[in-house]
Amino acid sequence: MIVYLIRRFGQSLLAIAAMAVLVFLGVYAIGNPVDVLINPEATQAEIAATTERLGLDKPLYEQFGIFVVNMFQGDLGTSFVFGRPAMDVILDRLPATMELAMVALILSVGIGVPLGVWAGLRPDSIAGRTIMGGSILGFSLPNFWQGMLLILVFAVLLGWLPAGGRGTTTEFLGMQVSFLTLDGLSHMILPAINLALFKMSLIIRLTRANTREVVLQDYVKFARAKGISSRRVVMVHILKNIMIPVITIIGLELGSMVAFAIVTETVFAWPGMGKLLIDSINLLDRPVIVAYLMLTVLIIVSINLFVDILYSILDPRVRLSEMKG
Amino acid sequence: MSKLLEITDLSTHFFTRDGVARAIDNVSLSVDRGEILGLVGESGSGKSVTGFSILGLVDPPGRVVSGQILFDGQDLVKGGERLMRSLRGRRIAMIFQDPMMTLNPVLRIDTQMVETVLAHEKVSRSKALERSREALVAVGISAPDERLQSYPHQFSGGMRQRVAIAIALLHKPDLIIADEPTTALDVTIQAQILSEVQQLCANSGTALIWITHDLAVVSGLADRLAVMYAGRIIEEGPTADLISAPMHPYTKGLIESVPKGKQHGALLTQIKGMTPSLLKLPSGCKFNPRCPRADAACQTEPDLDPVIGTDRHVRCIHPHAEAGA
């Protein structure tokens, strides 16, 4: 197990390193930030001074070298726009995105798995077909459009819920969070649903497909032949087997949910990392973009690592073969 | 006293898109307490469906359409799910064909055994665990405490089948339905399992329905044999009589197709033709297209008639004489 963990950890580091190169080169290729940042009427000397101050006059490899050295010291550069360390700017916004993603995840798993199991157990029933039909809508309608429709119905027509923003926040573990106040929660419902819908549909389909496969297995029939209740057959024998692939997908999707909540955050003016990224791209705030992408990579890689470990806990066969490997 | 199990005119049909598959049609069978019945037939002859029908575990689109299954005086067809669940595992147990598939891969052996005990008896967990331990010892598994903590993939095929048998024996059932339980095992293991099952049943007075396609295996085990073809029982009687003097041409063909060893290099006798599709059964006697003795009279289907002066039944218009000529 230890060997496996070390090897898996090494792979994660490699992925982060490769991403660092790609991110840096990619961002370097887009435009000259000085043009955006500086007063259009500035003199050549002022432009040169700004370029030098931002370290943009040095050759590419030197800039990359500085970037890597600083990164190891936890410094991903200073935001051109905010004049503060890029990481701080992002970390300020991180709690908002994290809590949104978490609530969306809970919604999509908490609703998606039961619906998927239901549809898988009764594939030909009206409820089963309706669930599947709904899930097709869930992931074929564009995310931003779903968001705008939610706003139109629940905020504009019905007026039940606020259309955007984060509402009242409170301090929780040193972070500003919305989910602990009623106002914050009401602001969170619509964006969380919007972010959850796609994943929920995915989880429904995955769970249903797995359930249909598992119910045909001999061990399910054997379990029923033992006389145990059908409730226990579903909750223990079937659920534990279908959770293995579902956990994998949840892990992957959590990463992308945190990283790419961009659309939802933009539609609902949710002040999270995604919205910050969009703003930073518009202003060519390179350190923030780079820091954002690096953080995203870190999150996705860590989640994958975590899922692999969880996977081995759920499936005894994986545990054994990997301990040998 | 009436028999333990009496099946009368049982029909189970599968309502598929291509039509109705009459998996079993008007099957009548009976098993006495402590008796071993061999249910013999080719793949698709309906022998497994008969087993599942008894337990009420026929999966959709299949359904028991008519007939009666009297188990100890109770009609299982009319009994409903509640009655069935109280009988399954407690009074009627089942052992499946493929031991690799019958145990749930993600649950430990103790979980799978204890739940079987607890499904029918209100005892403490430790007591249930003790019962499971004893059952494992009874089927010849050494180091049962260690084995209880293991997962199915840590067992060999033969060991898994022993565990499945141990689970079947947990409640000392009146009837065990064994669906080709040795087919997937090595010949040596097969012989061990066979003799053990025979002994366990004799010790506890358990009746056994041994479903198989292998006449050689079952002839040394069963008190009586019933031969199935195309969803019907075509011949039934005491094992020794049936093997030494088969009356139905199909039974005779089956027996003759078993290699004898004497005729080294000689061609084995075959039954010509193929098993008919259950969706398109021939008219009249279902065996007539393949039967060497068929004539115009075989266009009407014969009943399963008792043979006068014996304890046998045969469904044939031109049976072989009792002397085996």
Side-chain angles (χ1 to χ4, degrees):
Chain A
M1 189 78 184
I2 300 288
V3 177
Y4 167 68
L5 279 183
I6 292 172
R7 212 179 44 200
R8 195 65 193 68
F9 196 69
Q11 288 169 357
S12 306
L13 287 182
L14 209 68
I16 293 174
M19 191 63 189
V21 177
L22 285 176
V23 165
F24 192 80
L25 292 180
V27 171
Y28 191 84
I30 49 166
N32 182 359
V34 178
D35 297 343
V36 185
L37 289 169
I38 212 161
N39 183 346
E41 282 148 42
T43 62
Q44 196 58 43
E46 280 171 329
I47 293 177
T50 309
T51 309
E52 202 184 326
R53 181 168 60 78
L54 297 175
L56 297 171
D57 54 339
K58 299 190 177 73
L60 179 59
Y61 63 88
E62 213 178 311
Q63 286 189 39
F64 183 66
I66 294 168
F67 164 71
V68 171
V69 169
N70 286 343
M71 188 170 68
F72 275 107
Q73 296 167 344
D75 175 11
L76 282 165
T78 304
S79 163
F80 298 159
V81 177
F82 298 91
R84 293 168 51 211
M87 213 53 191
D88 288 4
V89 174
I90 291 170
L91 288 180
D92 277 353
R93 303 289 197 94
L94 185 65
T97 299
M98 281 305 237
E99 69 171 337
L100 187 64
M102 280 301 171
V103 172
L105 182 77
I106 291 166
L107 280 179
S108 54
V109 175
I111 299 174
V113 171
L115 286 184
V117 170
W118 183 278
L121 292 175
R122 294 178 178 75
D124 296 320
S125 65
I126 293 173
R129 286 172 192 275
T130 312
I131 291 168
M132 291 317 284
S135 80
I136 292 175
L137 286 183
F139 71 67
S140 54
L141 293 178
N143 210 238
F144 73 92
W145 190 77
Q146 287 175 7
M148 292 191 318
L149 219 65
L150 283 174
I151 292 178
L152 187 68
V153 174
F154 291 100
V156 179
L157 292 179
L158 296 171
W160 292 348
L161 295 164
R166 216 183 154 190
T168 322
T169 58
T170 47
E171 182 111 352
F172 176 72
L173 298 176
M175 295 178 297
Q176 291 294 317
V177 295
S178 303
F179 73 94
L180 288 176
T181 67
L182 206 60
D183 182 53
L185 210 56
S186 72
H187 279 80
M188 196 187 251
I189 293 173
L190 286 184
I193 290 175
N194 182 224
L195 193 57
L197 269 175
F198 182 86
K199 311 294 174 197
M200 198 192 296
S201 310
L202 197 72
I203 289 174
I204 288 175
R205 298 192 80 83
L206 186 76
T207 312
R208 183 186 107 113
N210 276 307
T211 307
R212 290 200 65 182
E213 210 176 295
V214 169
V215 289
L216 296 178
Q217 298 292 322
D218 272 0
Y219 56 75
V220 172
K221 210 160 195 177
F222 187 64
R224 288 167 67 202
K226 293 195 296 190
I228 61 180
S229 64
S230 42
R231 189 187 150 84
R232 188 173 163 89
V233 172
V234 174
M235 300 301 278
V236 177
H237 287 260
I238 295 179
L239 205 58
K240 203 161 177 204
N241 274 286
I242 59 172
M243 277 324 270
I244 295 169
V246 171
I247 291 274
T248 315
I249 291 296
I250 290 171
L252 292 174
E253 294 299 321
L254 175 64
S256 74
M257 222 155 19
V258 173
F260 308 115
I262 301 169
V263 174
T264 299
E265 289 184 0
T266 309
V267 172
F268 289 90
W270 186 264
M273 298 194 308
K275 189 150 187 316
L276 175 69
L277 178 71
I278 296 292
D279 296 343
S280 302
I281 290 174
N282 284 335
L283 294 170
L284 282 182
D285 194 349
R286 276 192 201 167
V288 174
I289 301 173
V290 171
Y292 173 87
L293 291 175
M294 289 313 295
L295 185 70
T296 306
V297 175
L298 192 70
I299 290 173
I300 292 183
V301 167
S302 322
I303 289 174
N304 276 339
L305 188 65
F306 177 71
V307 166
D308 275 354
I309 295 168
L310 199 64
Y311 204 87
S312 69
I313 293 171
L314 265 179
D315 192 338
R317 290 164 296 186
V318 175
R319 211 180 308 159
L320 197 80
S321 62
E322 276 163 359
M323 272 193 268
K324 281 180 195 150
Chain B
M1 197 156 69
S2 66
K3 301 222 173 182
L4 176 67
L5 178 77
E6 275 195 273
I7 303 175
T8 321
D9 294 333
L10 182 73
S11 299
T12 300
H13 295 172
F14 285 76
F15 298 86
T16 68
R17 219 171 277 176
D18 304 321
V20 179
R22 296 162 187 271
I24 60 176
D25 222 5
N26 289 323
V27 162
S28 299
L29 267 182
S30 64
V31 184
D32 237 336
R33 287 176 176 74
E35 189 181 40
I36 300 182
L37 173 78
L39 195 55
V40 184
E42 294 171 72
S43 311
S45 60
K47 50 197 196 312
S48 295
V49 175
T50 308
F52 287 129
S53 300
I54 297 169
L55 274 173
L57 286 180
V58 180
D59 284 324
R63 183 153 59 79
V64 174
V65 289
S66 62
Q68 196 182 39
I69 305 172
L70 278 182
F71 176 79
D72 207 9
Q74 288 169 295
D75 188 352
L76 304 188
V77 175
K78 294 201 187 79
E81 186 58 22
R82 205 186 173 82
L83 171 74
M84 285 318 297
R85 226 184 68 210
S86 76
L87 293 178
R88 279 183 211 137
R90 188 169 66 93
R91 301 198 57 195
I92 311 176
M94 187 152 184
I95 309 169
F96 287 59
Q97 174 169 8
D98 187 352
M100 297 299 182
M101 300 300 298
T102 44
L103 299 173
N104 195 321
V106 299
L107 299 176
R108 283 197 336 208
I109 300 300
D110 54 357
T111 315
Q112 303 195 42
M113 294 191 81
V114 165
E115 69 177 3
T116 315
V117 177
L118 296 180
H120 300 292
E121 278 173 44
K122 287 201 170 85
V123 293
S124 68
R125 214 195 111 82
S126 57
K127 195 128 186 239
L129 207 58
E130 181 52 33
R131 281 263 296 279
S132 312
R133 214 185 80 89
E134 284 164 13
L136 286 184
V137 173
V139 294
I141 287 179
S142 51
D145 292 306
E146 194 185 314
R147 287 315 194 170
L148 278 170
Q149 310 267 321
S150 309
Y151 286 94
H153 69 270
Q154 293 162 296
F155 289 75
S156 67
M159 288 285 259
R160 288 192 212 189
Q161 198 59 291
R162 274 164 213 255
V163 173
I165 292 168
I167 291 176
L169 290 170
L170 272 174
H171 290 281
K172 301 201 167 40
D174 300 305
L175 173 67
I176 294 180
I177 301 167
D179 188 359
E180 308 210 34
T182 58
T183 313
L185 303 175
D186 291 344
V187 182
T188 46
I189 310 286
Q190 193 171 329
Q192 279 178 18
I193 299 258
L194 264 163
S195 73
E196 273 165 27
V197 168
Q198 200 168 13
Q199 209 162 23
L200 289 166
C201 286
N203 290 345
S204 56
T206 303
L208 186 64
I209 298 181
W210 192 278
I211 298 173
T212 183
H213 63 264
D214 192 341
L215 256 176
V217 166
V218 82
S219 58
L221 175 76
D223 302 315
R224 298 175 67 80
L225 287 182
V227 182
M228 289 192 78
Y229 184 81
R232 288 153 177 76
I233 292 188
I234 50 118
E235 184 163 8
E236 191 266 332
T239 305
D241 298 354
L242 206 130
I243 296 285
S244 62
M247 296 179 74
H248 197 286
Y250 175 69
T251 317
K252 195 174 162 67
L254 267 189
I255 292 168
E256 281 171 356
S257 62
V258 176
K260 305 271 187 318
K262 290 175 197 161
Q263 336 120 304
H264 184 77
L267 285 175
L268 291 172
T269 323
Q270 300 179 17
I271 304 172
K272 65 179 167 95
M274 303 257 289
T275 324
S277 156
L278 291 172
L279 295 169
K280 271 187 291 183
L281 288 173
S283 61
C285 171
K286 302 309 168 216
F287 188 59
N288 87 68
R290 300 172 73 185
C291 183
R293 297 166 82 99
D295 61 19
C298 296
Q299 286 304 317
T300 47
E301 182 163 24
D303 291 328
L304 185 63
D305 290 322
V307 181
I308 313 294
T310 66
D311 190 15
R312 303 174 64 169
H313 293 76
V314 67
R315 190 192 285 271
C316 186
I317 290 168
H318 306 296
H320 291 275
E322 246 185 280

